[in-house]
Amino acid sequence: MHYTGNVIRPPHEARNVLLQVTVGCSYNQCTFCNIYDTPFRVSPMAEIEEDLAEVRAAYPHCPRVFLLNGDAFVLSFEKLRDIAVTIKKYLPQCHIISMYAGIMNIRNKSVEQLKELRSLGINKLTIGVESGDDDVLRRVRKGYTAAEIVTECNKLDEAGMLYSIIYLGALAGHGLSEKNALESARTFNHIHPTHIGATSLTLLPGSPLYDEAQAGTFVEAGELERARELLVLVENLTIETFFAANHVSNAVVVKGRLPDQKEEMVGQLRYYIDNYDEGYMRERRRRLRSL
């Protein structure tokens, strides 16, 4: 299999075939991220077919394929269509082709094109929106606004293409976490993700945001502030979705279906805020060795 540089995939894709169709991240300007260590490029179709032949030999009844890497949905409608058709040729029982997507990747695709991609099996995108607060999006250079999150995700909704979103807690910095949560909830209440996965900011050495923290121009939120941020987010979400803050970066783990299990999650978060020690949880974060 052709794998170049860091291979990144969502936790729920761990058991699925990982097929490289792009290398790196096409945008690669977010100030908190430096995990894509190779320049962006598109994989030649010959490489993709070689890998599909290898998959077919080992796993001919493969039901699901995840396309690598950072935002494979950046590929044009035509390229994605060709890849989907090729996957079906080699793996006729594959019924879901998923991948990471960015809000900017959706802009150049019409609803009709999205519907056609959906009909070919492309579905269940994972979108790292990170925040729905314009101030935060601007500061970390995400490249889009909260309004654009709503516009582009509504196109996916109209096309019947399922998607989940990632929320990156503590991205606003100390003192601004609750505002970030409130504004993000207001944004997310206008879209229809099947899941919201909440992670928590880990400053990566060498990233611009890490350098800002070292210079004192960005102050990291504490652990209890992060928990209060999650509390505000959960309390203000009104959509039907599955919410999961169970990534290793989260000091407190909560998950459940909204709105049915909102009170249960709110209770768990309030208990944590009232009973856990800030110093102990900061030490836990310092000892994290992997994400």
Side-chain angles (χ1 to χ4, degrees), residues 140-187:
V140 301
R141 300 206 300 264
K142 282 301 295 182
Y144 50 78
T145 65
E148 288 176 296
I149 293 174
V150 175
T151 296
E152 301 307 327
C153 286
N154 284 171
K155 285 166 60 178
L156 297 178
D157 295 330
E158 186 177 349
M161 190 175 284
L162 303 180
Y163 60 95
S164 59
I165 63 172
I166 300 171
Y167 176 81
L168 183 53
L171 192 58
H174 176 63
L176 297 169
S177 294
E178 292 186 33
K179 171 183 174 293
N180 182 28
L182 182 59
E183 293 299 322
S184 295
R186 288 172 175 164
T187 298

Side-chain angles (χ1 to χ4, degrees), residues 30 40 101 142 214 264 284:
C30 303
F40 177 79
K142 282 301 295 182
Q214 295 297 106
E264 179 183 336
R284 172 195 173 276

Side-chain angles (χ1 to χ4, degrees), residues 248-265:
V248 67
S249 61
N250 293 301
V252 55
V253 173
V254 290
K255 60 181 179 178
R257 180 151 293 282
L258 293 173
D260 298 352
Q261 295 175 289
K262 178 182 286 193
E263 289 187 15
E264 179 183 336
M265 287 190 284

Side-chain angles (χ1 to χ4, degrees), residues 154-228:
N154 284 171
K155 285 166 60 178
L156 297 178
D157 295 330
E158 186 177 349
M161 190 175 284
L162 303 180
Y163 60 95
S164 59
I165 63 172
I166 300 171
Y167 176 81
L168 183 53
L171 192 58
H174 176 63
L176 297 169
S177 294
E178 292 186 33
K179 171 183 174 293
N180 182 28
L182 182 59
E183 293 299 322
S184 295
R186 288 172 175 164
T187 298
F188 300 162
N189 285 336
H190 292 284
I191 62 178
H192 301 89
T194 59
H195 294 71
I196 298 176
T199 60
S200 192
L201 176 69
T202 299
L203 291 172
L204 302 174
S207 67
L209 194 59
Y210 178 90
D211 294 339
E212 288 181 36
Q214 295 297 106
T217 55
F218 176 82
V219 180
E220 196 172 1
E223 297 302 321
L224 295 178
E225 184 177 357
R226 294 170 191 243
R228 285 190 289 271

